[in-house]
Amino acid sequence: MSRTPRTPRTPVPAPLLSPAVARLRNPLVALLAALVAASAVLLGAGTAEAAGYRYWSFWQGNGKNWEYATQGPSVLRPDDGTVQGFRFAVSEDSGDADQPRRAPDFGAICADTPAEDGKKRVALVIDPGTAADAPDGEKPPAPRTACAQVATDASSAEALAAVAKPLRYDSSAMLCAISGYPASGCGEQVSGDTGSAKPSEPTKTAEETGQDAGEDSGGGPSVGLLVGIGAVLLLGIAAVVQARRRR
């Protein structure tokens, strides 16, 4: 019994794929695409600006420079001849805070205030900051100095109140306003993406900042960011080597 030969089937063409989709069907290429996306996320995280806070920072003069105070003005009881400063600005933390823009010079500030028995003199530098740090609709007054002559057991807050009323505090005793500035708000958060840009401060030398000349003080990529990018690149290399071994 003879059989009728079958007609060969015409091969059915595979569905056409765009070049991008076709490349992603290769597992290795898909992995590398994911690694590139991860690198973009890391780079984006490194360039995002951290949020800051708008507040009055408290400083102490050491005879030449300013040091961030480790106690609040309502707790600290300064000695006679002390210089203290208050600076209003937007900053992320104490390490990022702007210093008062006047020198802590007790002799110059209290030159016209003679000493009195039973009292002490505290020199104060009050710096309301710049327009870039001011709340919307407010203009900072000019920086000024004052020599407070107060009782020997007076706190820094009492010395400030003697020369810069009205003061405003919040419920946690945080200093919110000096001489009525600002009119509202107290330590509110300011987004790094939407807040006002901070003006450049006068350039300080390494000796003034206490920073080693070789220490990086710029805004380059952080160590964590570089480590993350390095890890992504190593994963990509490992994937390529593994794929070659399987061929």
Side-chain angles (χ1 to χ4, degrees):
M1 181 176 178
S2 62
R3 296 182 179 179
T4 303
R6 296 180 179 178
T7 303
R9 295 181 179 178
T10 302
V12 179
L16 295 177
L17 299 176
S18 68
V21 175
R23 282 196 298 267
L24 288 177
R25 292 185 69 178
N26 184 325
L28 174 59
V29 176
L31 174 60
L32 291 177
L35 294 174
V36 170
S39 298
V41 172
L42 287 171
L43 287 171
T47 57
E49 295 184 25
Y53 298 87
R54 183 182 285 118
Y55 68 102
W56 282 98
S57 56
F58 180 40
W59 301 80
Q60 291 181 277
N62 61 12
K64 181 179 180 182
N65 301 311
W66 291 108
E67 297 177 351
Y68 200 91
T70 57
Q71 293 179 295
S74 62
V75 176
L76 186 62
R77 299 187 181 279
D79 296 327
D80 179 71
T82 299
V83 184
Q84 302 192 319
F86 296 85
R87 171 69 190 266
F88 188 77
V90 174
S91 60
E92 186 177 348
D93 52 36
S94 60
D96 174 60
D98 290 331
Q99 300 179 4
R101 291 171 293 173
R102 299 286 178 88
D105 188 341
F106 177 83
I109 297 172
C110 289
D112 297 329
T113 306
E116 291 186 14
D117 292 338
K119 293 187 177 182
K120 63 183 177 184
R121 292 175 298 168
V122 179
L124 298 171
V125 175
I126 303 169
D127 187 347
T130 66
D133 291 320
D136 291 341
E138 296 201 54
K139 180 180 179 181
R144 68 187 183 94
T145 61
C147 186
Q149 193 163 52
V150 292
T152 55
D153 62 345
S155 66
S156 299
E158 291 171 324
L160 181 64
V163 297
K165 289 182 178 179
L167 305 180
R168 178 165 56 84
Y169 294 85
D170 69 1
S171 58
S172 63
M174 178 178 180
L175 179 61
C176 303
I178 297 177
S179 297
Y181 180 80
S184 62
C186 191
E188 64 271 20
Q189 185 173 343
V190 179
S191 170
D193 295 328
T194 60
S196 301
K198 295 174 65 175
S200 299
E201 293 288 335
T203 303
K204 300 180 178 63
T205 65
E207 180 179 357
E208 290 173 331
T209 61
Q211 185 179 56
D212 292 336
E215 185 177 348
D216 182 17
S217 60
S222 66
V223 174
L225 175 61
L226 295 177
V227 170
I229 294 175
V232 168
L233 294 177
L234 287 176
L235 286 173
I237 295 172
V240 173
V241 172
Q242 186 67 19
R244 290 181 176 178
R245 288 179 178 176
R246 291 176 179 175
R247 291 180 180 176

